[in-house]
């Protein structure tokens, strides 16, 4: 297995200058193109800018070191509007009009599910970088983010230790919300807990009053939510706090950037994830410093939806270099054989197209940052795509 170590930014200056001197019109067509379909509008619009920033940094660093197989890397970003209809247009444009070499992106499950048939038709490698409900499989897709098999247990186990016996579940009414909470419900019941409510609202819901009234009537020990990432998290949390509900609150879909945007309402939320900004490693510190240098005051908080994007660009680079070509039939098997050492540690997508991940249990602090309470090394993603090699 080959391992790619992501370089520190300060080592890239000379390479960037050399790349700039060598670049010219004659080389314009000699590129590797990465397509990023992402929700710049809709539910994911809160977090999508951070995803694009992570990809931009990775591409800048890679080009400063000579690109991929000597070719300049370029990005093509398309708004999928966080949903199925927008995704179909974005995927079709990127694959068949822009002729991208690979798709690398964080998207809602609705967008991913709508785009996968187009990926399969276009036979383009696709690295999905969003945490999701699991068990979505395609011969062209890899996933470097967490699934419920890795993420749910830390929160539920902690709540049980805190004395929680009854739970109320709230989700967005689509694949991610229902898939995550179906797994959560099963895990809670297997470990002796009781579900006293299970409610869903549309992906674009902004008024949670009726559901929160049911929560207050049920008076659970703990609430666990799984909404579409971004805006629904913000509205639900603000209204939950305003309702004065005091139960333990675990959120399966909030990222650190979105938590910061909530202000004081986010304080006290319990989160389980594979990335928080205060992970104390040289690789993460170097990444954060590079992001700060590149984006300055415009930097969006790096998070568990954006950092996998950064690492996935490097994974694609490593796979192409291992294969010696951008040809999909050679790159796809190579993606399972390369390791990337990045802000989250060493990531290898060798478990049925998914990755073992170090997971963290954290609690949101008053400033929106996350205090890490405990960690769980190399958590297996479980049985995801057994029919795929």
């Amino acid at each position: 297995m080959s391992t790619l170590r992501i370089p520190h930014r300060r080592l890239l200056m000379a390479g960037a200058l050399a790349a700039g001197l060598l670049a010219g019109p004659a080389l314009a067509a000699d590129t590797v193109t990465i397509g990023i379909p992402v929700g710049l509008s809709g539910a994911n619009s809160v977090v999508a800018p951070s995803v694009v920033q992570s990809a931009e940094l990775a591409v800048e660093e890679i080009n400063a070191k000579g690109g991929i197989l000597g070719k300049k890397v370029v990005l093509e970003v398309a708004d999928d509007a966080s949903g199925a209809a927008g995704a179909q247009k974005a995927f079709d444009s990127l694959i068949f009009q822009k002729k991208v070499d690979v798709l690398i992106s964080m998207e809602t499950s609705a967008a991913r599910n709508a785009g996968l048939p187009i990926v399969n038709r276009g036979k383009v490698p696709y690295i999905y970088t969003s945490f999701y409900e699991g068990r979505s499989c395609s011969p062209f897709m890899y996933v470097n983010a967490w699934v419920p098999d890795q993420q749910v247990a830390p929160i539920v186990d902690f709540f049980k230790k805190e004395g929680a016996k009854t739970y109320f579940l709230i989700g967005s009414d689509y694949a991610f919300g229902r898939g995550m909470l179906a797994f959560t419900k099963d895990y809670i019941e297997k470990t002796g807990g009781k579900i006293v409510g299970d409610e869903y609202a549309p992906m674009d819901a902004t008024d949670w009053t009726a559901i929160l009234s049911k929560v207050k009537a049920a008076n659970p020990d703990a609430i666990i939510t799984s909404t579409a990432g971004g805006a629904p998290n913000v509205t639900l949390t603000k209204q939950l706090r305003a309702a004065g509900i005091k139960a333990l609150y675990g959120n399966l879909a909030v990222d650190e950037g979105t938590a910061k945007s909530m202000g004081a309402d986010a304080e006290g939320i319990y989160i389980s994830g594979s990335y928080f900004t205060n992970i104390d490693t040289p690789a993460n510190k170097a990444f954060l410093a590079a992001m700060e240098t590149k984006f300055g005051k415009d930097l969006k908080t790096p998070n568990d939806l954006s950092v996998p994007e950064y690492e996935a660009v490097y994974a694609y680079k490593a796979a192409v270099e291992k294969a010696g070509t951008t040809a999909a039939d050679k790159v796809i098997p190579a993606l399972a054989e390369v390791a990337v050492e990045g802000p989250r540690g060493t990531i290898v997508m060798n478990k049925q197209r998914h990755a073992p991940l170090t997971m963290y249990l954290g609690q949101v602090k008053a400033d929106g940052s996350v205090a890490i309470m405990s960690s769980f090394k190399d958590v297996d993603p479980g049985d995801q795509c057994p029919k795929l090699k």
Side-chain angles (χ1 to χ4, degrees):
M1 179 183 294
S2 57
T3 301
L4 177 64
R5 290 178 173 81
I6 299 174
H8 287 200
R9 186 178 178 84
R10 64 175 179 271
L11 301 178
L12 302 174
M13 299 297 288
L17 178 60
L21 292 173
L22 292 173
L27 297 179
D30 197 18
T31 59
V32 173
T33 305
I34 296 173
I36 302 181
V38 68
L40 297 174
S41 60
N44 274 352
S45 60
V46 173
V47 72
S50 68
V51 175
V52 176
Q53 285 188 346
S54 286
E56 289 174 343
L57 176 63
V59 166
E60 179 181 276
E61 292 175 342
I62 289 169
N63 283 334
K65 298 290 285 182
I68 297 177
L69 297 182
K71 298 180 179 182
K72 181 180 179 180
V73 184
V74 297
L75 296 177
E76 286 283 354
V77 181
D79 182 14
D80 67 19
S82 303
Q88 289 173 337
K89 294 177 183 177
F91 276 67
D92 188 79
S93 173
L94 290 170
I95 293 173
F96 296 111
Q97 296 176 35
K98 300 297 184 180
K99 306 291 186 182
V100 300
D101 295 292
V102 63
L103 295 174
I104 303 176
S105 196
M106 179 283 304
E107 301 180 278
T108 66
S109 292
R112 181 199 67 247
N113 288 341
L116 272 177
I118 302 170
V119 170
N120 294 341
R121 189 167 76 248
K123 299 181 179 179
V124 173
Y126 176 30
I127 306 177
Y128 185 58
T129 62
S130 176
F131 51 72
Y132 83 115
E133 71 280 0
R135 294 164 180 82
S136 180
C137 305
S138 161
F140 301 97
M141 185 174 74
Y142 280 80
V143 182
N144 73 344
W146 56 252
V147 291
D149 310 58
Q150 296 165 303
Q151 193 245 5
V152 169
I155 289 179
V156 174
D157 291 350
F158 174 76
F159 284 179
K160 183 177 180 180
K161 290 179 182 177
E162 291 294 296
K165 296 180 180 179
T166 58
Y167 296 77
F168 200 107
L169 310 181
I170 305 173
S172 290
D173 191 8
Y174 77 119
F176 176 72
R178 286 193 174 273
M180 287 297 301
L181 293 183
F183 184 96
T184 303
K185 180 178 180 180
D186 184 58
Y187 188 80
I188 288 170
E189 291 176 341
K190 283 181 177 177
T191 54
K194 181 181 179 181
I195 306 299
V196 295
D198 189 5
E199 295 288 335
Y200 298 86
M203 272 184 67
D204 58 354
T206 58
D207 185 356
W208 301 87
T209 305
I211 290 177
L212 293 176
S213 294
K214 294 179 181 180
V215 173
K216 294 183 80 170
N219 192 28
D221 298 321
I223 299 165
I224 297 180
T225 65
S226 182
T227 64
N233 259 321
V234 177
T235 56
L236 172 57
T237 299
K238 286 184 177 296
Q239 291 170 38
L240 187 151
R241 296 307 196 202
I245 296 169
K246 302 299 183 182
L248 292 166
Y249 179 15
N251 192 316
L252 305 183
V254 72
D255 63 279
E256 194 168 349
T258 302
K260 282 184 179 292
S261 76
M262 293 179 186
D265 291 323
E267 183 177 4
I269 295 175
Y270 292 93
I271 302 176
S272 174
S274 65
Y275 179 80
F276 298 124
T277 54
N278 58 1
I279 292 175
D280 188 13
T281 62
N284 186 45
K285 290 177 180 178
F287 165 73
L288 292 174
M291 290 291 286
E292 179 66 35
T293 298
K294 179 170 175 60
F295 297 105
K297 64 181 179 60
D298 296 322
L299 176 63
K300 306 301 181 183
T301 302
N303 57 77
D304 211 10
L305 288 167
S306 68
V307 171
E309 180 80 11
Y310 174 80
E311 294 167 338
V313 175
Y314 275 98
Y316 178 70
K317 174 182 187 292
V320 170
E321 291 175 344
K322 182 176 179 64
T325 176
T326 57
D329 62 333
K330 300 296 192 296
V331 171
I332 287 169
L335 282 168
E337 299 171 356
V338 296
V340 171
E341 292 187 8
R344 295 186 298 161
T346 301
I347 309 296
V348 190
M349 296 178 288
N350 62 352
K351 295 287 187 177
Q352 299 177 12
R353 304 297 182 93
H354 291 69
L357 298 170
T358 295
M359 299 296 293
Y360 301 89
L361 176 65
Q363 187 175 31
V364 181
K365 298 192 293 186
D367 64 356
S369 65
V370 179
I372 295 176
M373 302 166 61
S374 54
S375 62
F376 310 84
K377 189 171 177 59
D378 295 333
V379 181
D380 195 281
D383 207 29
Q384 295 296 323
C385 299
K387 295 182 180 180
L388 293 176
K389 294 182 179 179

